[in-house]
Amino acid sequence: MPPEVDYEIEAIQAEFDAGYEDALDEWQTAFEKARKQWRMDRARRLLHIFKTHDLDEKSLGRLRYSEATLLVNLGEWKKAQKAFEQSIAIRRKLGEQKEELTAVNSLANLLRRNAETLESAIEVFQTALQSTSAVGPSRVILLNGLGLSLYEKGELEQAQSYFREVLELARQTDEPELRASALHNLGSIAWTRGKLHEAQKLLEEAQEIQQTIQDVHGEAETLNSLGLVEEGLGGWDDAVEIYRNALEKMQTLDDFYGQSQVLVNLGNIYSLQNEFGLAVSCHEQAYEIARELGNPRLQGQALTALGDSYRIAGDLEKAEKYILRAIEIKTKSGEARSVKHNWQSLGAVYHQQKRASEAHSAYEKALQIARVQNDRRVEAFTLLNISASFTAQEKLQQAIPLLSNAKEIALAEEYNDCLAWIYEQEGDIELLSEEPNAAKILESFSLSLWHACKFNEYELRKLVQRLSRFWLAHAEDGQSQTSLWFCDSIIQLWRDMDRLNECPLVVEEFSKLKTKIYDISYK
């Protein structure tokens, strides 16, 4: 069967052949529509039409710019950079300041995607903003690009300042796409700092605009960010669906860069849900895409995720290998914003391997970066992890103040998952004290269960399993009455505080535990 005829392309070809005056404008409209809809084959055919005709220098500058934008979509970034530079040179020679500025902005946005050229991108944006042509919508676009570059560098205060300026200017000039972009970027900064509810509000506002203007690619990127927020809030099942939706859109658009990012995040959720086969599959796909694109930032993200999956699965040797490789790639390429997660994960690996001094060193590096970036969530979890390391060594005087600092942050920001771990550790510390206080032990573990319940059922079940193992072992060591006291107290407390409707699992599981303890007592 012969291929279906595209009559619009045939008409544009005929207009070019006939030398119609408006043929180039019609071509440009059709090309941009195909590219933005990620209909790459159609965009290639249209570009071929343009290339096969005699072009003056002005049209050649236009061709090189259009070619570069298509190459960006296709992930051929080195070729795209060269085409942008050729377009800029032509337009500068012709004195086309507005068109030159557009090409400069596109080049800078390309450079910021690669950590190795991030500083160059910042310089290009800053220089462009000094141009007399950098006014109105052009200035807004350049400010947004500069903000994104600074965000990638980890300079969040400056990035936030630029994004707020972009949002205000976009509202004044009625630019909905830029307004959505600014809201998304502000949401990303809020997420990076652990302000999850604020991030969710900003991202949902961005998504609403993108749906209204039918910006499919922008919405896919926003969905990916919303998935991260939902993950942090405990809605793991919802996050999976959000990521799948984002991935489907990215695949439809042939956006391989975006696919790699979403696959990393989707795999992370599967890992948290103990679906390790699915997690590793997602992460390996993400790494393969990143390797084919030749992008070190994406490679670092995928290797980080693989390391975390193997750490959670208990394969610490593989975890250490992948995390160290990710740190090497990120450090070499100047990826400062996210390397804190690698140091935190490496600290956890060393902690599990009982390599205390190395764990502390890794955690301190994560803590330092988190504090510079004002990332409250990573700061709280890292303080918790350092405290846990001291607790494991029974260095309680060093553990307690760190845990107190972590709790102060977690309470202020309502990090229920972090609070569940903090209160569990408070209970562990009380058990290790010279004169354990039964009331404090009960209060700590009860609060731990309650915050885990408010976060999600996955974390609650894991906590119940840990507590059940401890109190069952306690009973097997001849302390059945103490273990039964704990179970009865938790069950009664849950009933007295009317938590049965919200969290029946606790009473169900501790009732089962009581039965097992009775069996041990009467053997």
Side-chain angles (χ1 to χ4, degrees):
M1 179 182 289
E4 186 177 340
V5 176
D6 187 323
Y7 291 106
E8 184 181 15
I9 287 182
E10 293 291 321
I12 290 171
Q13 175 76 65
E15 288 178 1
F16 262 102
D17 292 342
Y20 284 2
E21 189 175 336
D22 58 353
L24 188 54
D25 289 335
E26 289 192 21
W27 174 89
Q28 188 77 54
T29 300
F31 175 81
E32 285 301 312
K33 182 178 179 182
R35 188 182 65 80
K36 288 181 178 179
Q37 291 178 342
W38 292 76
R39 297 169 66 187
M40 297 296 108
D41 288 340
R42 193 167 199 273
R44 282 193 189 97
R45 289 180 63 191
L46 285 160
L47 192 66
H48 180 72
I49 291 173
F50 199 175
K51 281 183 172 182
T52 55
H53 287 78
D54 292 333
L55 302 173
D56 57 20
E57 204 161 21
K58 182 181 179 72
S59 297
L60 184 60
R62 195 169 182 177
L63 170 65
R64 290 288 171 257
Y65 178 78
S66 299
E67 183 178 27
T69 61
L70 179 59
L71 288 166
V72 170
N73 287 111
L74 295 171
E76 297 182 31
W77 292 357
K78 289 184 178 178
K79 291 181 180 178
Q81 181 176 343
K82 184 177 180 181
F84 277 134
E85 288 168 348
Q86 289 173 341
S87 177
I88 291 167
I90 293 169
R91 288 169 169 183
R92 185 170 295 158
K93 178 182 176 182
L94 296 174
E96 297 177 342
Q97 290 186 335
K98 183 178 178 182
E99 289 78 6
E100 179 190 342
L101 198 62
T102 299
V104 166
N105 175 69
S106 297
L107 173 62
N109 275 309
L110 174 63
L111 293 173
R112 75 170 174 79
R113 286 193 172 197
N114 192 326
E116 293 178 348
T117 54
L118 184 57
E119 286 294 342
S120 297
I122 292 171
E123 290 177 13
V124 171
F125 278 123
Q126 290 174 333
T127 301
L129 281 164
Q130 295 172 10
S131 168
T132 55
S133 302
V135 295
S138 295
R139 181 172 182 79
V140 178
I141 292 169
L142 290 166
L143 286 169
N144 194 56
L146 179 56
L148 285 167
S149 301
L150 292 165
Y151 173 71
E152 294 295 344
K153 192 179 176 184
E155 297 183 6
L156 303 186
E157 285 293 336
Q158 282 186 277
Q160 185 178 51
S161 175
Y162 284 121
F163 291 146
R164 284 174 174 166
E165 186 176 351
V166 169
L167 181 60
E168 183 58 33
L169 290 171
R171 282 172 173 158
Q172 292 174 9
T173 57
D174 193 24
E175 298 279 346
E177 188 173 348
L178 281 172
R179 186 154 49 95
S181 178
L183 287 165
H184 181 167
N185 296 334
L186 287 167
S188 294
I189 287 180
W191 172 80
T192 300
R193 288 175 165 166
K195 305 280 189 180
L196 301 182
H197 294 289
E198 179 185 339
Q200 187 177 46
K201 181 180 177 182
L202 288 162
L203 291 167
E204 286 177 347
E205 189 176 349
Q207 185 193 10
E208 185 178 345
I209 294 169
Q210 288 157 345
Q211 287 176 333
T212 300
I213 63 176
Q214 298 182 326
D215 180 3
V216 179
H217 188 255
E219 186 186 0
E221 291 181 323
T222 299
L223 283 169
N224 187 42
S225 297
L226 276 168
L228 289 169
V229 173
E230 195 62 43
E231 176 184 335
L233 291 171
W236 293 353
D237 291 334
D238 290 338
V240 167
E241 292 307 311
I242 291 170
Y243 287 139
R244 284 175 177 167
N245 189 1
L247 183 60
E248 184 180 343
K249 291 180 187 297
M250 293 292 190
Q251 288 170 336
T252 300
L253 297 168
D254 287 333
D255 181 354
F256 296 104
Y257 185 94
Q259 287 176 48
S260 180
Q261 290 184 311
V262 178
L263 282 165
V264 163
N265 295 334
L266 180 57
N268 288 343
I269 288 285
Y270 285 141
S271 182
L272 291 170
Q273 295 176 328
N274 295 327
E275 297 282 358
F276 297 115
L278 290 172
V280 170
S281 175
C282 285
H283 293 155
E284 287 178 342
Q285 288 179 64
Y287 180 72
E288 185 59 28
I289 292 171
R291 192 186 62 78
E292 289 181 3
L293 290 176
N295 187 279
R297 175 179 289 126
L298 290 179
Q299 291 175 42
Q301 289 174 356
L303 288 169
T304 298
L306 274 168
D308 278 335
S309 286
Y310 282 116
R311 175 179 61 81
I312 294 170
D315 191 336
L316 300 183
E317 187 176 336
K318 278 188 177 179
E320 182 182 7
K321 171 187 169 184
Y322 284 120
I323 293 168
L324 285 171
R325 178 63 179 141
I327 289 172
E328 180 186 352
I329 289 174
K330 288 185 176 183
T331 302
K332 183 179 178 182
S333 61
E335 173 60 81
R337 180 174 58 85
S338 65
V339 76
K340 62 193 171 191
H341 300 293
N342 299 85
W343 288 118
Q344 189 179 52
S345 295
L346 189 62
V349 169
Y350 290 152
H351 174 62
Q352 288 176 260
Q353 293 175 328
K354 303 187 187 307
R355 296 158 65 179
S357 62
E358 290 170 283
H360 288 167
S361 176
Y363 283 143
E364 286 295 338
K365 288 175 181 176
L367 187 61
Q368 182 181 7
I369 298 169
R371 283 174 168 166
V372 168
Q373 296 178 354
N374 195 23
D375 185 339
R376 303 271 282 171
R377 185 169 172 82
V378 169
E379 181 181 0
F381 269 103
T382 307
L383 288 167
L384 167 64
N385 290 338
I386 299 172
S387 175
S389 180
F390 281 129
T391 301
Q393 299 170 69
E394 298 192 19
K395 296 180 179 179
L396 304 188
Q397 294 306 310
Q398 291 166 280
I400 290 169
L402 291 166
L403 194 62
S404 178
N405 291 342
K407 184 164 74 169
E408 182 181 352
I409 296 170
L411 283 169
E413 304 296 343
E414 299 181 7
Y415 300 150
N416 284 308
D417 51 343
C418 191
L419 286 166
W421 285 97
I422 288 169
Y423 285 117
E424 181 184 6
Q425 193 172 316
E426 282 191 350
D428 291 340
I429 288 173
E430 191 60 38
L431 284 166
L432 289 168
S433 64
E434 292 182 5
E435 296 182 7
N437 184 309
K440 286 184 179 179
I441 291 168
L442 181 62
E443 180 186 24
S444 295
F445 286 129
S446 175
L447 284 168
S448 178
L449 288 163
W450 178 237
H451 283 286
C453 173
K454 290 202 287 184
F455 186 68
N456 67 27
E457 189 174 322
Y458 293 100
E459 284 295 284
L460 178 61
R461 286 190 180 278
K462 290 176 185 177
L463 173 58
V464 168
Q465 288 169 7
R466 291 195 297 273
L467 291 175
S468 296
R469 283 195 298 268
F470 173 81
W471 292 104
L472 198 59
H474 206 57
E476 290 170 345
D477 288 340
Q479 300 293 324
S480 296
Q481 292 306 310
T482 305
S483 294
L484 287 170
W485 161 81
F486 181 79
C487 292
D488 285 333
S489 298
I490 287 292
I491 291 168
Q492 191 59 49
L493 189 62
W494 229 247
R495 287 173 174 157
D496 290 346
M497 299 187 74
D498 198 24
R499 290 176 175 172
L500 280 173
N501 291 333
E502 288 187 69
C503 208
L505 178 69
V506 170
V507 171
E508 293 169 6
E509 292 301 317
F510 280 96
S511 296
K512 292 177 186 176
L513 180 59
K514 276 183 63 179
T515 302
K516 291 179 182 178
I517 294 170
Y518 274 125
D519 289 343
I520 292 171
S521 302
Y522 294 104
K523 275 186 178 179

